[in-house]
Amino acid sequence: SSGNDDDLTIPRAAINKMIKETLPNVRVANDARELVVNCCTEFIHLISSEANEICNKSEKKTISPEHVIQALESLGFGSYISEVKEVLQECKTVALKRRKASSR
């Protein structure tokens, strides 16, 4: 990371909520929370850059979920793929329900 203050980061409130939900009875120091934010941001940059390269190589203009899954695999995060596919399916289900509700 360039260390630039203009870099996009995940909102701290979102990270704090995730930490609290994941570890409800654990106190986490502020600098540890900041480190988690930086790690999450770096992970997203890494995955999205790799997915973008895969997308470009397949001569597409839009990064698809498949590109993200391939990026996870190629970067050594293959163990995340089954969970990622479950979340993707949940997102598709929610989106379908929203579309049905809005068309009524």
Side-chain angles (χ1 to χ4, degrees):
S1 175
S2 63
N4 186 342
D5 286 341
D6 294 335
D7 284 348
L8 295 174
T9 62
I10 298 169
R12 274 144 192 75
I15 296 297
N16 288 339
K17 185 178 180 198
M18 282 188 251
I19 290 170
K20 195 143 220 51
E21 286 173 3
T22 307
L23 305 166
N25 302 316
V26 177
R27 289 181 59 195
V28 181
N30 286 336
D31 55 348
R33 289 175 191 271
E34 191 66 28
L35 183 57
V36 171
V37 169
N38 291 335
C39 289
C40 291
T41 302
E42 194 59 38
F43 181 75
I44 291 168
H45 282 241
L46 181 68
I47 298 299
S48 54
S49 295
E50 183 71 13
N52 187 48
E53 282 184 35
I54 292 167
C55 177
N56 289 337
K57 284 178 188 164
S58 59
E59 297 179 2
K60 302 285 184 195
K61 293 186 191 278
T62 303
I63 295 172
S64 72
E66 241 354 274
H67 297 135
V68 175
I69 290 167
Q70 289 174 23
L72 288 167
E73 184 68 52
S74 73
L75 292 168
F77 296 105
S79 62
Y80 294 166
I81 291 175
S82 64
E83 193 170 345
V84 165
K85 286 181 177 177
E86 285 176 28
V87 171
L88 176 60
Q89 195 52 53
E90 287 173 29
C91 290
K92 286 180 178 179
T93 303
V94 168
L96 186 62
K97 284 179 184 170
R98 276 199 198 122
R99 279 198 299 276
K100 284 182 178 174
S102 69
S103 66
R104 287 184 184 152

